[in-house]
Each structure stands twice: as C-alpha cells, then as structure tokens.
Amino acid sequence: MNSFYFDVAHLLSGSLVLASLMLLYQDRVYALLHVFTLHALVLSLSVAWQAFAQDAPHLYITAAIALVFKAILIPVALRRIVAQLRIHQILETVGGIGPTMLAGISLVALSLVVTLRTTPAGDRFSREDLAFALAVILLGMLMIVTRRNAISQVIGFMSLENGLMLAAAGAKGMPLVVEISVAFAVLIAFIVIGIFLFRIRERFDTVDILVVDRFRGERR
Amino acid sequence: MTLVIALGCSAALLLLGIASLAMRSFSGRSTLVYAGTFAVSLISLASSLAQLLFLSGVTPAVTLPVGLPWLGAHFRMDALSSLFLAILSWGGVSTSLFALGYGRHEPEPGRILPFFPLFLTGMSWVILADDAYVFLFAWELMSVTSWALVVSHHREEANLQAGHLYLIMAVFGGFTLLLAFGLLANSAGSYAFSAMRSAAFPSWTAGIVLLLATIGAGSKAGLFPLHVWLPQAHPAAPSHVSALMSGVMTKVAVYGFVRIVFDLLRPHSWESSLLLLFLGGVTAVLGVLYALMQHDLKRLLAYHTVENIGIIFIGLGLALAFATNQIPWAAALSLTAALFHTINHSLFKSLLFLGSGAVLAATGERDMGKMGGLIHRMPGTTIAFLLGSVAISALPPLNGFASEWLTFQAILVSPNLPQWALKFLIVAVGALLALSAALAAACFVKAFGMSFLGRPRSLHAAEAKETDRWSLSALFLNALLCLLAGLFPGSVVNALGPVVQELVGQTMPQQSQPFWTPMVPIAQHRSSYDAFLLFILIVLTGLAVTGLVRWIGFRPIRRSAAWDCGYPDPSPVTQYTTASFAQPIRRVYASSVFGARETVDMPLPGEARPARVTVKIHDPAWQGLYAPIIKLVWFLADRLNPMQFLTIRRYLLLGFLLLVFLLLLLSLWI
C-alpha cells in the first residue's frame, strides 16, 4: 500500500516537471496560459494526494487554493488582460527553443543529482518530492530569464512558486503550509493586478524610469 | 555592586547624550552636559578603583535580558575591566572638566554634545562586555560616535576626508574583530566569553584569531601600517575629544586586544609573539619619525600616540613570548610594564592634547610655525605642557620613564628565552625602543621649544591670553597624576598586581609599602629604581644651582632684547623653525624611510623672489599598502560599472547562474 502511495505521488510530481518543460517551448500566449492551467491542476492534484497520503487534512485547503486560484481565477484574469491589451502575438524567446530545452533537461538532472546526494538520510517520499520541486523551481527561473515578455515572465514566476508549494506540501510536518500558500496567492494577485494597472504592453525589459516617461510622452 | 554602579553610570551618560538633544534651545546646556559627564565619570572612577584596589577577590557579573534573545547581554567586571574602566573614567573626568571652559569656544555645540557622553558610554560597554555580541555592538557604537565627533567641524574639507578614512578603517577593523569572535565562538560553542575562556582552541584557530585581533584592535589603536587614519582623525576632532580618542580610545583598543589574546584565547604558540614584537618595534620608531616631520602640534601628538602604542605592543609581545615559554615571572614583568605604560600614556597624552587645545583656543593656531613665546602669556599651560613633554619623553622622575624602564628590564631578561629568533628579535626591538625614546625627546624639545619659547611668530601668538580656570585645573590634575605615578611607581605596580595575576598567573614581586622605597622589578641585587630619591636629588640640585647662579651672578634678573647674532633683524620669522630643527634627523632617517627629498630654489642675483626650500615626504605605509588597494578598487569599479545599467532580466539571469553554479559545486562536493 505504501508503495502505491509513493508511486502516485511520484507520478504526479513528475507530471509537474513535465508541465514545466512544456511551458518552456510555448510560443503563443493562449497556449502558454493553457499549459499553465494544466500546471496548476497537476499541482493541486499532487498536493491533494499528499494530503491523503500524509493524512494531513490542512493540505486539502492548499490544494483547493491552488485549484481555485491558479487553475481558474488567474488564467481567466490573464486571458482577459491579454484580450483587452491585444498582446496575443507570437512570444519570442532568448536563445531559441532547442537550447532552452536542453538547458531545462540538464537543470532537471542537476536538481536530481543535488537532492538525492545531499539527502541520503531522508525518507523516500520527501527526497523524490524535493528533487522534483527543485527541478520545477529551476525551470521556472529558466523561463523567467529566457523570456522577454511580461506575461510569460509572470507565468514563469508562478510556475516557480508552484514548485515551492510542491516542496512545502511534500515535506512531512512542515508548519504553516496553508498560510504560505495564501501569502503566495496574494503576492501573485498583486503582481497580476500590477501588470494590469501599469499596462506595460510589450517589453518588461527595463527598469529605467526614463523609458517609461518617453513611453508616456508618445501616448499623450 | 561596583558593576551595577558602573553600568548605571554608562546608562546615565547615554541618557545625558539623549537629553542634550532635547535641550537644544537651552543656552547653558553645554555646561550642564559637561558637568553631568564630569560627575558621572567621577562616580564611575570611584567604583572602578574600589573594584580594582579593594574588591579584586570577587568578580561581579550580571546578565541583562536585552540583545539576542537566547544570549542576553552579559557584563562582567574583573580586575582588567576595572583597570581600563578607571583609565576611561579618569579620561572622562579630566576632559569634561577641561571642556567646561573649552566648550564655550565651540561654534556648533549641538554637533558635539550628544555624542560626547555617548562615546564614553560605548567605550565603557566595550570594557564591561562579557559576550561577543555586546562587545562588538559597543565597539561599533564607539566607532560611530567618535566618527561623528571627528566630523563635527564639518565645514573643513580635510576633516570630512579624515572622517571618511576613519570610517573605512573602523568598518574594516570591526569586520576583522567580527571574524575573530566568529572563530572563537565556533570553537567554544557560545558567544559568551565564559565559554571561550574555558575552551581550548586548535592551534590554527589561535593563530588566525590572534592575527585578526591584531588587525582589528591594532587598526583602532594605530599599529603600523594600520595607523594612517589616526593622525588625520584625532586632530580633526575638538581638542577635548582628541584627548579622549588618543588618550582613552586607543587604550580601549589595547584592552580589546589584551582581552582576546591574554584572556579568551589560549594556548598560543611562541611564533605569535614575533609578529607583535616586530610590529611594536616598527610602530614605535616610525611613529616618532613621522611625528618629527610634523608642523601641526595636534598631528604631532597624534603620531606620538602611534609611537606609544608601539611601546605598549612591545610589552605585550614580550609578555606573550615569556608566557608561551613558561617563564611567568618575566611575563608578569612585561605585562605590568605594558599596562603601566598604558596608564601613563593615557595620562600624559590627555594632558598634552588638552594643552594643545588650550593653545588652539588662545591663538587659533595649530601650526607650531606660528606660535612661540607663549611661556610669557600662558604660564600655567606652559608648566603643565612641559611636565607632559618630560613625561612622554621618558625622563625621570616622571611616569613615562618608569614604565619604559620596566619594559627595558623585561627586554634584558630575554636571554632566558630558548628560541634564537626571539633572542635576536628582542635585542633589535630593544634598540628600536631606545631609539624611539631618544627621538621622542628630540621631538618634544621641538614641540615645546617652538610653541612656548622664543619670540611670537604671529600676531595671534603675541596676543594670546591664558586659558580659563577649568581648563587649567584639568591640565594640572593630569600633570599631578603624571608626577605621582612617576614618583611612586611601586604603588602602581602593586595596584596592577591583580590584573597581571588574572592574565598570566603570577605577579611582579610585591613592592615594599613605604612608597619612597625603590621599585624592584625582579630582585634587589639586579636592578632597582628609586624615583622619589631621584626627585629629591633633582630638586636639591636645581635649587643649589639656582642659588649659586644668583649668588655669583652679576645682577639677579635683567631683561633685554634677544641677542641677534650680530644681524639686527626685527622679524621673528628668522628664528629657528620646526623644519630646521628636524632637518638633521630628517636627513639621517627620513631620506631612506620616507624618501624625503629637499629641493632648494635659489633666486639668481638680481631676482626679487625669495629663496625656497621644499621638502617632499612619501608615506611608506600609504604608498606601499593603501595606494595599490585604492588603485585596485578603482580598477574593479570601472570594470563593474556597466553592471548598473542591465535590464531586469539580465540581473535575474546573474542570480540564476549563481544559483546553478552553487548547486553544481554542491553536487560535485558531496
């Protein structure tokens, strides 16, 4: 029975890594949003399974938050932003899809090597879970640094955060998991609202206030 | 009880500093703050002396529930702490007494009053601290408040530069001390000093901690080549603060060093003492050579602080050498000499800086080339300054001689050491010490002669007025203590007994109590020094010579114009100057050490311009150590300049790459 729990948890967190890799090669906005919805769904399933396997009912709350917030609300909100701002063009990546995918695969290998070597004393559940979580986090970071578009950077950030949630849920007896998930949800909400409010249309590539000023001057 | 009083005093000073902010519009606040500091320091002095002299058997300690939650704030007052607290409190007493008069000349008292008591608070916490956290916090408090005092006259560009340099060196020194305590706490398992005291450290830890403590405390004390900030920052502060920084803060640095090296850290290897002896000897000679080149009175005094710190570190190095070779009686002798010199330097350096402050207030000049003839206008200041000069020049019967003589006694027993390296080095260091003492005497002949003797070289000097009663009383109290410590060195040695016992486990032989009997460092048949007898001899000889001269002399006292060597020239500029006095010594030593080059610009016959002699002096510490570092920093800054204009994605990329790199390292490491 224990082995069955483990296999399912392994399957679900592995699927999350797979979804992260899928995110890397999406070059259209709507497709990216769809894959992210899938990502959040898999996360919520994985957390729910952890709640069941660890017999920790508070994790169901986390799973529900992930489901409602990340799999439904945020994708819907982002779709509306994209539709209103008319930014559903082709997304360009830095360095091309192929090298990015190769980098992603080596990051997954790196995180497996690091985690499995550093935690020989931990139990099976946590070790596998942490390895996959680290892979998801690294892939999210890779996505952030290889995209120039604000929407895809935000999605990269959210997938990174999904990896953190996976790690928090997988570590047995980790305190304040629910609170952390709520806090992250609020943070993400602020970022999404921030993008919407600032209406930074194209490049999220500079923090130079002069550029913003010039941009405003052109619109006026 | 004494510890509680001392802590209460430091808290009172803290409140006084804060209260002075509230009294901004009150006109008498300067008097109030300095009178308060005076009274509180007096109480603190009484409690520390009581602890040192009468209660040395018990060691009070308290733990206050502030600071780190799992640590608290530990305070403890053993004999070493009470000795340095006494030095500090006396510095507070005399400088605030001086400032009661001197503080009235201050143009912007609001920039000094809040920090002066806080500075004393910081130093007293350093001395009383019994865990690394409190120690470092207090150390930084001391640095920051003294920095604020250095830049209090902020309209002068030079002061701001001095403050900047001081801040950099203080941060650097604090950082090395942080590392030293980190290593100590790592081995001891706790930040409390009690845990470190009982731990035995591996030899490499002991070596590195000693090196870090030498750099950290040495940069605050002014050890070569970390002294560069000191001669700039100490004179920049108002004179009573200069007296505190030079007379007391450098001693707090010595305290920090002694606390770490002699109390917390053991065992040592004998090689460590090589470093201390070498640095001490070089510091002593270079400090006084630098001082000889100066024209600024306060800067000259600051360089003498460097020299005296060198002498103190020679004593500490000797103590370490003897202690590591299990010769405790010689270690006790060396440590007593070092601590005695610490007391003495604190007394006469405060006296001299306060005297220079009195001169500065009366003439508005720091340049000795514009003083002269002050003996007629400021007789009281002159007498006190002369006593201080005699003391710092290590002339009997004043206190400077007693402690340097003890240091020489310790050097003379160095053949007992088994290591040849130490035997040779200590002899060389003894020669350096003798050289520095002689040069110091020459330097103070120059300082005293140019400032107080001869004819006034400027209008300010000609119109100087004697300083006020408060300042004079501070000067004379310090001079009196210099004289007393010089006349009765045996009593001081006895008082240092508990401190030395605590640190090296043995004391110097108990000096016999009728205090006019000679001081015996080792045994009666080897050597002894009877200051009191010598003093009586000097007084009697002086009286006899004066009487004879008066008796034989043609007429008792006759005033006439100064003899002009047959060249009647009314200008006082033709008098001997500081540069001309120092020229022979500069030619002998400074041309090699400082690369001094003189150029004479002689006008051709018929030209109307004056002839000029210019001297260029290169600072070896600055050119050898600091200039390359500054160059490197500029080079790196230029290279890293493009980094501040990257896009946010590239910054994230840098962080990401660093993370991946660290993970790779981790995976390869395991």
Side-chain angles (χ1 to χ4, degrees), chain A residues 126-150:
Chain A
S126 308
R127 287 176 72 192
E128 291 291 342
D129 207 61
L130 277 178
F132 286 130
L134 185 60
V136 173
I137 291 169
L138 289 179
L139 288 175
M141 283 186 165
L142 181 66
M143 178 151 176
I144 293 176
V145 299
T146 51
R147 300 293 177 121
R148 288 213 170 114
N149 181 285

mmCIF file of all heavy atoms in Angstrom, chain A residues 126-150:
data_model
loop_
_atom_site.group_PDB
_atom_site.id
_atom_site.type_symbol
_atom_site.label_atom_id
_atom_site.label_comp_id
_atom_site.label_asym_id
_atom_site.label_seq_id
_atom_site.Cartn_x
_atom_site.Cartn_y
_atom_site.Cartn_z
ATOM 1 N N SER A 126 9.894 12.335 0.749
ATOM 2 C CA SER A 126 10.400 13.708 0.760
ATOM 3 C C SER A 126 11.500 13.889 -0.256
ATOM 4 O O SER A 126 11.551 14.911 -0.944
ATOM 5 C CB SER A 126 10.929 14.061 2.148
ATOM 6 O OG SER A 126 9.959 13.766 3.100
ATOM 7 N N ARG A 127 12.365 12.882 -0.391
ATOM 8 C CA ARG A 127 13.507 13.061 -1.277
ATOM 9 C C ARG A 127 13.071 13.263 -2.718
ATOM 10 O O ARG A 127 13.464 14.227 -3.374
ATOM 11 C CB ARG A 127 14.421 11.829 -1.199
ATOM 12 C CG ARG A 127 15.189 11.756 0.071
ATOM 13 C CD ARG A 127 15.992 10.494 0.128
ATOM 14 N NE ARG A 127 17.114 10.539 -0.803
ATOM 15 C CZ ARG A 127 17.835 9.473 -1.125
ATOM 16 N NH1 ARG A 127 17.527 8.305 -0.616
ATOM 17 N NH2 ARG A 127 18.846 9.578 -1.943
ATOM 18 N N GLU A 128 12.212 12.344 -3.191
ATOM 19 C CA GLU A 128 11.752 12.460 -4.577
ATOM 20 C C GLU A 128 11.031 13.784 -4.777
ATOM 21 O O GLU A 128 11.228 14.501 -5.758
ATOM 22 C CB GLU A 128 10.816 11.301 -4.916
ATOM 23 C CG GLU A 128 11.504 9.959 -4.991
ATOM 24 C CD GLU A 128 12.436 9.873 -6.203
ATOM 25 O OE1 GLU A 128 12.292 10.695 -7.130
ATOM 26 O OE2 GLU A 128 13.318 8.991 -6.211
ATOM 27 N N ASP A 129 10.217 14.091 -3.789
ATOM 28 C CA ASP A 129 9.400 15.286 -3.879
ATOM 29 C C ASP A 129 10.265 16.535 -3.956
ATOM 30 O O ASP A 129 10.061 17.416 -4.798
ATOM 31 C CB ASP A 129 8.534 15.345 -2.626
ATOM 32 C CG ASP A 129 7.281 16.096 -2.904
ATOM 33 O OD1 ASP A 129 6.520 15.640 -3.774
ATOM 34 O OD2 ASP A 129 7.098 17.155 -2.286
ATOM 35 N N LEU A 130 11.283 16.576 -3.098
ATOM 36 C CA LEU A 130 12.171 17.740 -3.087
ATOM 37 C C LEU A 130 12.932 17.842 -4.398
ATOM 38 O O LEU A 130 13.101 18.937 -4.938
ATOM 39 C CB LEU A 130 13.169 17.633 -1.930
ATOM 40 C CG LEU A 130 12.649 18.110 -0.584
ATOM 41 C CD1 LEU A 130 13.720 17.904 0.472
ATOM 42 C CD2 LEU A 130 12.271 19.573 -0.661
ATOM 43 N N ALA A 131 13.377 16.700 -4.930
ATOM 44 C CA ALA A 131 14.119 16.728 -6.186
ATOM 45 C C ALA A 131 13.255 17.312 -7.293
ATOM 46 O O ALA A 131 13.690 18.206 -8.038
ATOM 47 C CB ALA A 131 14.570 15.323 -6.552
ATOM 48 N N PHE A 132 11.994 16.833 -7.382
ATOM 49 C CA PHE A 132 11.122 17.364 -8.435
ATOM 50 C C PHE A 132 10.805 18.830 -8.203
ATOM 51 O O PHE A 132 10.738 19.625 -9.136
ATOM 52 C CB PHE A 132 9.837 16.537 -8.520
ATOM 53 C CG PHE A 132 10.056 15.195 -9.165
ATOM 54 C CD1 PHE A 132 9.611 14.020 -8.574
ATOM 55 C CD2 PHE A 132 10.725 15.114 -10.371
ATOM 56 C CE1 PHE A 132 9.833 12.799 -9.168
ATOM 57 C CE2 PHE A 132 10.946 13.886 -10.977
ATOM 58 C CZ PHE A 132 10.499 12.726 -10.374
ATOM 59 N N ALA A 133 10.616 19.177 -6.930
ATOM 60 C CA ALA A 133 10.286 20.576 -6.615
ATOM 61 C C ALA A 133 11.426 21.487 -7.036
ATOM 62 O O ALA A 133 11.214 22.539 -7.648
ATOM 63 C CB ALA A 133 10.009 20.724 -5.124
ATOM 64 N N LEU A 134 12.661 21.061 -6.744
ATOM 65 C CA LEU A 134 13.811 21.880 -7.125
ATOM 66 C C LEU A 134 13.876 22.018 -8.645
ATOM 67 O O LEU A 134 14.148 23.103 -9.179
ATOM 68 C CB LEU A 134 15.098 21.245 -6.585
ATOM 69 C CG LEU A 134 16.360 22.057 -6.814
ATOM 70 C CD1 LEU A 134 16.239 23.408 -6.148
ATOM 71 C CD2 LEU A 134 17.578 21.324 -6.298
ATOM 72 N N ALA A 135 13.553 20.913 -9.341
ATOM 73 C CA ALA A 135 13.559 20.965 -10.807
ATOM 74 C C ALA A 135 12.528 21.975 -11.296
ATOM 75 O O ALA A 135 12.811 22.781 -12.191
ATOM 76 C CB ALA A 135 13.270 19.582 -11.376
ATOM 77 N N VAL A 136 11.328 21.951 -10.709
ATOM 78 C CA VAL A 136 10.287 22.890 -11.139
ATOM 79 C C VAL A 136 10.735 24.321 -10.889
ATOM 80 O O VAL A 136 10.549 25.216 -11.736
ATOM 81 C CB VAL A 136 8.963 22.580 -10.405
ATOM 82 C CG1 VAL A 136 7.935 23.645 -10.708
ATOM 83 C CG2 VAL A 136 8.443 21.227 -10.824
ATOM 84 N N ILE A 137 11.362 24.555 -9.730
ATOM 85 C CA ILE A 137 11.811 25.904 -9.392
ATOM 86 C C ILE A 137 12.852 26.383 -10.408
ATOM 87 O O ILE A 137 12.770 27.490 -10.943
ATOM 88 C CB ILE A 137 12.400 25.923 -7.961
ATOM 89 C CG1 ILE A 137 11.286 25.711 -6.953
ATOM 90 C CG2 ILE A 137 13.110 27.237 -7.687
ATOM 91 C CD1 ILE A 137 11.796 25.448 -5.568
ATOM 92 N N LEU A 138 13.824 25.525 -10.688
ATOM 93 C CA LEU A 138 14.880 25.922 -11.621
ATOM 94 C C LEU A 138 14.311 26.167 -13.009
ATOM 95 O O LEU A 138 14.705 27.104 -13.706
ATOM 96 C CB LEU A 138 15.968 24.850 -11.673
ATOM 97 C CG LEU A 138 16.837 24.760 -10.418
ATOM 98 C CD1 LEU A 138 17.854 23.659 -10.565
ATOM 99 C CD2 LEU A 138 17.536 26.078 -10.159
ATOM 100 N N LEU A 139 13.346 25.330 -13.418
ATOM 101 C CA LEU A 139 12.745 25.527 -14.741
ATOM 102 C C LEU A 139 11.981 26.850 -14.777
ATOM 103 O O LEU A 139 12.014 27.563 -15.799
ATOM 104 C CB LEU A 139 11.820 24.355 -15.078
ATOM 105 C CG LEU A 139 12.552 23.051 -15.388
ATOM 106 C CD1 LEU A 139 11.564 21.921 -15.600
ATOM 107 C CD2 LEU A 139 13.408 23.217 -16.635
ATOM 108 N N GLY A 140 11.300 27.171 -13.672
ATOM 109 C CA GLY A 140 10.587 28.457 -13.613
ATOM 110 C C GLY A 140 11.557 29.616 -13.771
ATOM 111 O O GLY A 140 11.309 30.568 -14.523
ATOM 112 N N MET A 141 12.699 29.510 -13.084
ATOM 113 C CA MET A 141 13.702 30.570 -13.207
ATOM 114 C C MET A 141 14.212 30.658 -14.638
ATOM 115 O O MET A 141 14.380 31.746 -15.188
ATOM 116 C CB MET A 141 14.885 30.289 -12.288
ATOM 117 C CG MET A 141 14.605 30.602 -10.852
ATOM 118 S SD MET A 141 16.120 30.378 -9.962
ATOM 119 C CE MET A 141 15.706 31.213 -8.466
ATOM 120 N N LEU A 142 14.468 29.499 -15.215
ATOM 121 C CA LEU A 142 14.962 29.481 -16.591
ATOM 122 C C LEU A 142 13.965 30.166 -17.504
ATOM 123 O O LEU A 142 14.329 30.942 -18.388
ATOM 124 C CB LEU A 142 15.186 28.028 -17.034
ATOM 125 C CG LEU A 142 15.734 27.860 -18.443
ATOM 126 C CD1 LEU A 142 17.133 28.408 -18.520
ATOM 127 C CD2 LEU A 142 15.727 26.398 -18.853
ATOM 128 N N MET A 143 12.700 29.925 -17.237
ATOM 129 C CA MET A 143 11.668 30.541 -18.069
ATOM 130 C C MET A 143 11.701 32.062 -17.917
ATOM 131 O O MET A 143 11.589 32.801 -18.892
ATOM 132 C CB MET A 143 10.308 29.996 -17.668
ATOM 133 C CG MET A 143 9.209 30.620 -18.459
ATOM 134 S SD MET A 143 7.855 29.502 -18.622
ATOM 135 C CE MET A 143 6.722 30.570 -19.464
ATOM 136 N N ILE A 144 11.865 32.508 -16.675
ATOM 137 C CA ILE A 144 11.891 33.957 -16.453
ATOM 138 C C ILE A 144 13.033 34.595 -17.229
ATOM 139 O O ILE A 144 12.879 35.630 -17.853
ATOM 140 C CB ILE A 144 12.033 34.274 -14.951
ATOM 141 C CG1 ILE A 144 10.785 33.835 -14.201
ATOM 142 C CG2 ILE A 144 12.237 35.759 -14.729
ATOM 143 C CD1 ILE A 144 10.887 34.015 -12.730
ATOM 144 N N VAL A 145 14.225 33.953 -17.175
ATOM 145 C CA VAL A 145 15.364 34.623 -17.788
ATOM 146 C C VAL A 145 15.418 34.419 -19.289
ATOM 147 O O VAL A 145 16.179 35.100 -19.965
ATOM 148 C CB VAL A 145 16.706 34.198 -17.159
ATOM 149 C CG1 VAL A 145 16.727 34.543 -15.703
ATOM 150 C CG2 VAL A 145 16.982 32.738 -17.379
ATOM 151 N N THR A 146 14.623 33.482 -19.839
ATOM 152 C CA THR A 146 14.707 33.314 -21.292
ATOM 153 C C THR A 146 13.548 33.998 -22.008
ATOM 154 O O THR A 146 13.447 33.899 -23.225
ATOM 155 C CB THR A 146 14.698 31.827 -21.691
ATOM 156 O OG1 THR A 146 13.601 31.201 -21.055
ATOM 157 C CG2 THR A 146 15.991 31.150 -21.295
ATOM 158 N N ARG A 147 12.677 34.664 -21.300
ATOM 159 C CA ARG A 147 11.546 35.329 -21.966
ATOM 160 C C ARG A 147 11.697 36.829 -21.842
ATOM 161 O O ARG A 147 12.168 37.325 -20.815
ATOM 162 C CB ARG A 147 10.216 34.899 -21.324
ATOM 163 C CG ARG A 147 9.946 33.427 -21.387
ATOM 164 C CD ARG A 147 9.738 33.013 -22.818
ATOM 165 N NE ARG A 147 9.543 31.566 -22.887
ATOM 166 C CZ ARG A 147 8.433 31.014 -23.399
ATOM 167 N NH1 ARG A 147 7.466 31.772 -23.857
ATOM 168 N NH2 ARG A 147 8.329 29.713 -23.456
ATOM 169 N N ARG A 148 11.212 37.522 -22.852
ATOM 170 C CA ARG A 148 11.272 38.981 -22.792
ATOM 171 C C ARG A 148 9.910 39.565 -22.490
ATOM 172 O O ARG A 148 9.787 40.743 -22.213
ATOM 173 C CB ARG A 148 11.740 39.524 -24.140
ATOM 174 C CG ARG A 148 13.208 39.238 -24.368
ATOM 175 C CD ARG A 148 13.817 40.352 -25.171
ATOM 176 N NE ARG A 148 15.263 40.203 -25.201
ATOM 177 C CZ ARG A 148 15.937 39.940 -26.308
ATOM 178 N NH1 ARG A 148 15.293 39.833 -27.446
ATOM 179 N NH2 ARG A 148 17.233 39.827 -26.266
ATOM 180 N N ASN A 149 8.901 38.741 -22.564
ATOM 181 C CA ASN A 149 7.549 39.249 -22.456
ATOM 182 C C ASN A 149 7.067 39.181 -21.016
ATOM 183 O O ASN A 149 7.315 38.206 -20.312
ATOM 184 C CB ASN A 149 6.665 38.382 -23.360
ATOM 185 C CG ASN A 149 5.249 38.831 -23.342
ATOM 186 O OD1 ASN A 149 4.561 38.588 -22.368
ATOM 187 N ND2 ASN A 149 4.833 39.484 -24.390
ATOM 188 N N ALA A 150 6.363 40.241 -20.588
ATOM 189 C CA ALA A 150 5.974 40.326 -19.182
ATOM 190 C C ALA A 150 5.056 39.181 -18.796
ATOM 191 O O ALA A 150 5.224 38.570 -17.745
ATOM 192 C CB ALA A 150 5.292 41.656 -18.910
#
